[in-house]
Amino acid sequence: MALSRRDMLLGGAALGCSAAASPLMTPVAFADVPGDNRLVVIVLRGAMDGLDVLRPYGDPFYAGLRPTLAAGGGADLDGFFGLHPALAPLRPLWDAGDLGFAHATSTPYRDVRSHFDGQDVLEAGVADPKGDLRDGWLNRLVQVVPGAQSDTAYAIGRDRMLILAGAAEVAHWAPEAQLDLNPRTRRLIELVHDGDPLFEQASAEAIEIAQQIDAEAEMTEALEDQIAADPMMGEIALRGDHIRLAEFAAGRLRGASRIASFSLAGWDTHNRQGQHLPRALDRLAAVLLTLRVGLADHWDRTAILCLTEFGRTVRENGTLGTDHGTGGAMIYAGGALRGGRVLGDWPGLSDFDLYDGRDLMPTRDVRAYAAWVLRGLYGVKPSTLAGMIFPGVDLGADPGIVR
Amino acid sequence: MFDPVIAETRFGMGLSPQQPLPTGVEDMMVRLAGPDLAAARFPIPTYDAAYPSLGQLTAVSRDRNAARRAGQDDQAEQLEQERRDMLRAAQVLQQQTLAATLARAIDGEDGLRERLVRFWADHFTVTARVGGSSHLVTPFVETAIRPHVTGRFVDMLMVVTLHPMMLLYLDQTQSVGPDSRVGGGGRRGLNENLAREVLELHTMGVAGGYAQDDVRQLAELFTGLTLDEDRAFWFRTEAAEPGEEVVLGQTYGPTPQLAEIRRALFDIAARPETARHIAQKLAVHFVSDRPAPDLVAALAEDFMATGGDLLSLVRTLLDHPAAWAAERAKVKDPFSFIAASLRALGVSGAAITGLGPRILRRDFVRPLGLMGQPWENPVGPDGWPEEPEAWVTPQGMAARINWALSVPRRMVDRLPMPMHFVTDALGPNPAPAVVQAARDAPNRRDGVAVILCSAAFQRR
């Protein structure tokens, strides 16, 4: 084929359709995929302090509980909540209605406040750590989405993503991975595992994905150039693993993939949170903007959920940080979602309102928000949502997140 | 029961054409109880001997800043140069200690000891919190972990919990009793991090039944554990919360003193929940993610009966039939994969410690990261994952295949014939699929790589 990268990009633009619709760019025919909506779930590992990210400065107790952390102010969003200054680059998304929050939310996990159990519960989508932790709720979603292929859902990065583990076939890759084999060695590697399914599948997938990514190298480069040149990226530094993750996710989602998940670390701010949290938020803002720009025309059909295992104590601790808590915030973004607002019933921060006398009281199960997003994006039935994907979740009223 | 190939793979660092197979559990235990030959052969500095120390790194920055403030530009410039030299030395030491750790694993008669050191270093994970001090992690392991893997659990727990690396890693140096003199009436206060992880990860386990209030009380009891201006251990009485603390029903205090903290650690280490947690972790690490309940019970019982004698615990593990199950349910983590590959190739430890920094980075540091195990840098205090699924991912396999294709030929003069190598790597009865692949390989490089990438080699 003599089509150059430029031709393809121009052609896509001229036809008013996406590059992903070109059969040249993906081995999976466009008609086979489960609809056009995209879902990205970002797991914020370490417990993001929702009270610092989305500051309830309208609550009369907030300033007293956060004497140093609240001092920096924050941009007003709605007269009650303010946005952490480090998320200022996302303000245009908020103004466009493409960024929103749910506050005072959490998984059903309570009391022991272990990161590791908390993340398991979040990713498994179950009620408590004694539940079934063998598969993740995004995998169970893939099981019910019609027409799902092996590359419909992508777990990206080197971390294990329980959220996508399970019976449905999903793809795994890290942006920095590569593999270049001659056909004969490839054949030997396919045979040598002697029926061990774990090794056979991982090897076969490695070989297949590496070939596909290799074949798309030019397109990937074009995408990176496009992201770098977009004025929306502002002063964001396009360096680091988090940028690679977001670029890779955008590239997959422009192609045949519809669901992607990866994690961002750095949220466990026991100590000098005023210095550490902005770094994590800088990365998160860069990731969301990279997805915004990278997904281009697909943005309007994209939903991004940023979830964390639990919130942090309402009071600053003795070391200018916060300890493990309960209620926190969910961040959502994407043109498919109705942003520009903060969802959730605010429980208040007086001593009587707190959970266990120390934490923000969760007023809604974060799984309910996620469930309603799945309903809106993929039409998943309430009985499936509450029975299989998030067992036992109280769906409650539709918060109307999906446009 | 005992099988020499399982002994070297499941409980050791892999087969080596240069090392005789162990003859039985007794043989393994005699080596483990005997002198630490590998440590003598490939030395790693102790924490106190490692250069630059935390104190030196801290002092040079402090002095430089003071000189800058005083306008002594020449002096400041000289100190900055000194600091840069220290950071370079630190980097070199970190690579040397990686090389020495690998050398001990590939060129030794006691793989079990190396595995235990890695198990316990992971149980008590630390990563560097002070900029430029990652080189101190392996010296920490050498000092706080290695001497204790055949000793008593409680001794290791004490040394580790009070160690500067752990106090920094889990924010204990910041924690201050709110009602202490340093706390200044609540101006500074508690940080729960170390107290929580001691209970959740190091001793009782998350299902151990402690309450949030136990975490809080233990955090109060831990106040005073900090470091002085040279980052050396300091029990600072004026930072310790006055009054009694009740942890798990036991009362400590009321006068702040280190002995009370030791008493609490001693009590927690002796609890049945701790015994069960350690038993479960040991069985999961060596045998299966779903270990036989009677194996875990036997280990827990031994832990309780001996007061946490770790040598006895290992013997109980090796004496148990479930430990020798034919099913190989575990997968070598990336470090073990690299070590076992070099061991099977007969690479000497001296060949590894003789490598330069560029090659160490290219062939070990970077590949470990790509395989998902960046050296001495796990994400959290729970260390590296146990599940085979965490390592055997497409991206992880791609990294292992790439390593197996590119690195072995650089480590030996001539690669072995695949048909010989298959028994070096897998023992006298290799899996037929691997033999077939070895026979069909177009050349030595591909043959060796395919054997190393096989499920048969990577499982244990």
Side-chain angles (χ1 to χ4, degrees):
Chain A
M1 288 304 261
L3 266 180
S4 72
R5 180 180 104 200
R6 187 179 147 76
D7 288 335
M8 287 201 276
L9 290 174
L10 287 176
L15 292 168
C17 72
S18 68
S22 161
L24 284 174
M25 300 198 177
T26 152
V28 178
F30 201 54
D32 290 344
V33 302
D36 208 11
N37 287 334
R38 273 90 172 151
L39 173 63
V40 183
V41 179
I42 304 175
V43 180
L44 307 175
R45 294 189 195 278
M48 178 185 78
D49 184 19
L51 284 171
D52 202 3
V53 174
L54 188 61
R55 301 171 167 186
Y57 73 88
D59 189 295
F61 296 95
Y62 181 63
L65 292 164
R66 298 293 181 99
T68 65
L69 293 174
D76 174 58
L77 291 176
D78 61 359
F80 187 85
F81 292 107
L83 193 60
H84 191 291
L87 289 184
L90 297 182
R91 184 70 195 212
L93 292 187
W94 169 270
D95 292 337
D98 286 354
L99 172 72
F101 303 87
H103 220 323
T105 185
S106 77
T107 71
Y109 179 61
R110 292 289 182 277
D111 298 338
V112 184
R113 300 179 179 85
S114 153
H115 289 300
F116 320 109
D117 276 359
Q119 289 170 27
D120 282 352
V121 168
L122 172 69
E123 294 182 72
V126 295
D128 70 76
K130 293 183 193 72
D132 188 343
L133 300 174
R134 278 171 303 182
D135 59 0
W137 61 265
L138 267 185
N139 189 283
R140 297 196 294 274
L141 169 69
V142 178
Q143 294 171 31
V144 301
V145 168
Q149 307 281 329
S150 62
D151 58 351
T152 294
Y154 247 94
I156 303 172
R158 294 182 302 230
D159 294 349
R160 171 158 156 77
M161 300 299 291
L162 171 63
I163 196 168
L164 266 166
E169 209 182 325
V170 302
H172 303 75
W173 200 245
E176 64 278 21
Q178 50 180 328
L179 186 62
D180 185 16
L181 295 178
N182 65 50
R184 190 146 175 201
T185 311
R186 190 190 319 150
R187 181 86 192 119
L188 290 175
I189 284 177
E190 283 163 0
L191 291 175
V192 78
H193 297 311
D194 200 17
D196 188 316
L198 180 65
F199 281 87
E200 281 188 351
Q201 273 173 27
S203 301
E205 204 185 318
I207 290 165
E208 188 185 319
I209 295 175
Q211 280 177 331
Q212 186 187 345
I213 285 175
D214 204 35
E216 292 170 1
E218 273 199 0
M219 211 178 64
T220 307
E221 212 176 289
L223 174 62
E224 285 169 14
D225 292 348
Q226 183 197 330
I227 291 170
D230 196 293
M232 218 184 299
M233 296 310 291
E235 302 297 304
I236 304 273
L238 293 174
R239 282 191 307 271
D241 286 351
H242 60 290
I243 298 287
R244 301 284 92 77
L245 287 170
E247 284 175 347
F248 186 84
R252 296 297 97 197
L253 293 168
R254 286 166 75 121
S257 302
R258 292 295 173 266
I259 294 167
S261 188
F262 55 88
S263 51
L264 295 175
W267 305 95
D268 194 19
T269 47
H270 284 279
N271 209 342
R272 283 179 295 151
Q273 180 164 316
Q275 291 171 40
H276 295 299
L277 186 61
R279 288 183 211 149
L281 290 173
D282 286 347
R283 289 192 293 269
L284 178 61
V287 161
L288 293 178
L289 287 174
T290 301
L291 288 169
R292 166 69 189 88
V293 172
L295 285 165
D297 295 348
H298 304 299
W299 178 253
D300 287 343
R301 314 213 63 176
T302 296
I304 303 168
L305 302 180
C306 307
L307 307 173
T308 195
E309 63 261 35
F310 40 71
R312 307 187 71 85
T313 47
V314 296
R315 295 178 190 87
E316 286 180 31
N317 66 12
T319 62
L320 306 180
T322 49
D323 290 317
H324 300 183
T326 309
M330 173 182 92
I331 303 173
Y332 67 88
L337 300 183
R338 194 177 286 119
R341 61 204 181 127
V342 179
L343 300 168
D345 292 329
W346 185 247
L349 292 174
S350 86
D351 277 359
F352 307 105
D353 301 325
L354 302 181
Y355 179 79
D356 211 5
R358 56 177 264 154
D359 301 341
L360 179 63
M361 177 72 76
T363 56
R364 194 161 191 187
D365 189 336
V366 74
R367 300 180 302 162
Y369 292 115
W372 282 106
V373 169
L374 303 190
R375 172 138 184 85
L377 290 181
Y378 302 109
V380 185
K381 289 195 293 265
S383 57
T384 307
L385 289 169
M388 172 184 172
I389 296 188
F390 296 113
V393 69
D394 177 4
L395 289 171
D398 183 356
I401 304 188
V402 178
R403 281 186 207 265
Chain B
M1 285 304 284
F2 175 84
D3 173 293
V5 173
I6 293 179
E8 280 291 66
T9 49
R10 187 170 300 159
F11 301 108
M13 277 294 176
L15 303 180
S16 162
Q18 264 128 43
Q19 296 288 346
L21 290 168
T23 56
V25 170
E26 198 49 44
D27 186 24
M28 297 168 79
M29 291 307 298
V30 165
R31 276 180 232 190
L32 186 61
D36 186 348
L37 299 174
R41 212 177 291 133
F42 302 106
I44 288 170
T46 61
Y47 181 79
D48 289 330
Y51 175 86
S53 68
L54 276 182
Q56 287 162 327
L57 282 166
T58 308
V60 77
S61 295
R62 188 175 53 215
D63 294 350
R64 179 204 56 191
N65 294 344
R68 277 183 187 159
R69 274 194 305 275
Q72 298 161 326
D73 291 350
D74 287 357
Q75 175 76 355
E77 183 51 40
Q78 194 190 329
L79 286 162
E80 173 59 15
Q81 189 53 49
E82 234 174 85
R83 196 183 72 93
R84 286 204 202 123
D85 291 345
M86 272 188 201
L87 292 177
R88 242 190 307 278
Q91 233 177 21
V92 170
L93 180 59
Q94 190 180 14
Q95 290 178 348
Q96 285 171 345
T97 58
L98 165 60
T101 307
L102 256 181
R104 290 176 182 183
I106 68 174
D107 190 353
E109 51 289 281
D110 189 6
L112 177 56
R113 186 189 305 267
E114 305 307 324
R115 291 288 306 284
L116 290 168
V117 170
R118 288 189 57 75
F119 171 78
W120 287 110
D122 185 70
H123 182 77
F124 290 113
T125 288
V126 301
T127 60
R129 272 291 153 87
V130 173
S133 69
S134 305
H135 65 294
L136 295 174
V137 175
T138 302
F140 158 82
V141 171
E142 190 72 3
T143 308
I145 304 287
R146 192 168 180 107
H148 298 290
V149 301
T150 52
R152 288 197 314 159
F153 173 76
V154 67
D155 295 335
M156 188 166 9
L157 178 69
M158 296 278 180
V159 172
V160 166
T161 310
L162 305 181
H163 197 281
M165 291 297 278
M166 186 62 85
L167 296 179
L168 283 166
Y169 178 52
L170 291 177
D171 301 322
Q172 184 59 39
T173 54
Q174 308 286 323
S175 190
V176 166
D179 300 319
S180 69
R181 257 188 37 215
V182 177
R187 222 171 10 91
R188 293 181 59 193
L190 288 185
N191 184 309
E192 293 176 0
N193 210 6
L194 178 66
R196 177 180 303 282
E197 302 305 11
V198 162
L199 291 174
E200 177 182 332
L201 298 176
H202 301 162
T203 59
M204 296 171 69
V206 70
Y210 56 88
Q212 172 60 36
D213 200 45
D214 293 316
V215 173
R216 191 86 190 160
Q217 293 280 311
L218 188 59
E220 285 189 11
L221 183 63
F222 278 175
T223 53
L225 295 179
T226 190
L227 304 180
D228 67 11
E229 59 271 29
D230 291 325
R231 306 235 198 217
F233 178 82
W234 181 24
F235 182 72
R236 190 181 184 192
T237 314
E238 310 87 73
E241 181 72 358
E244 288 182 346
E245 281 89 22
V246 181
V247 182
L248 301 157
Q250 301 294 312
T251 304
Y252 303 95
T255 314
Q257 44 186 325
L258 187 54
E260 288 297 274
I261 296 173
R262 289 186 180 276
R263 193 160 69 84
L265 288 172
F266 193 88
D267 290 346
I268 297 167
R271 294 185 68 94
E273 297 89 347
T274 299
R276 265 198 299 279
H277 180 56
I278 300 300
Q280 174 79 14
K281 270 198 82 166
L282 195 71
V284 164
H285 183 74
F286 282 99
V287 182
S288 164
D289 291 350
R290 284 168 294 280
D294 62 330
L295 170 62
V296 178
L299 291 168
E301 204 175 296
D302 182 87
F303 190 100
M304 286 307 284
T306 65
D309 178 335
L310 299 179
L311 198 59
S312 173
L313 197 65
V314 173
R315 177 180 283 280
T316 299
L317 174 68
L318 297 180
D319 278 343
H320 200 284
W324 302 93
E327 188 204 355
R328 299 186 308 149
K330 301 294 295 185
V331 165
K332 290 167 182 161
D333 65 299
F335 177 87
S336 296
F337 167 69
I338 286 177
S341 300
L342 297 173
R343 207 171 150 86
L345 287 161
V347 177
S348 73
I352 300 298
T353 54
L355 294 172
R358 196 182 60 84
I359 292 175
L360 286 171
R361 263 199 308 278
R362 181 191 63 192
D363 290 347
F364 303 111
V365 178
R366 197 175 134 72
L368 280 169
L370 291 171
M371 292 177 203
Q373 196 178 38
W375 178 241
E376 293 181 334
N377 202 17
V379 177
D382 58 336
W384 301 116
E386 283 292 347
E387 316 86 49
E389 295 79 11
W391 303 121
V392 190
T393 59
Q395 60 273 34
M397 271 306 287
R400 290 184 189 217
I401 295 169
N402 278 331
W403 188 90
L405 281 166
S406 56
V407 178
R409 62 180 164 160
R410 296 202 282 260
M411 294 296 147
V412 291
D413 291 338
R414 183 140 201 244
L415 285 170
M417 291 289 288
M419 283 306 288
H420 295 158
F421 185 63
V422 76
T423 50
D424 289 347
L426 299 176
N429 299 304
V434 187
V435 177
Q436 188 62 43
R439 189 175 293 132
D440 292 349
N443 53 52
R444 293 180 186 224
R445 167 182 175 249
D446 287 19
V448 166
V450 165
I451 293 162
L452 295 177
C453 291
S454 67
F457 182 75
Q458 300 191 59
R459 283 197 177 272
R460 63 183 174 196

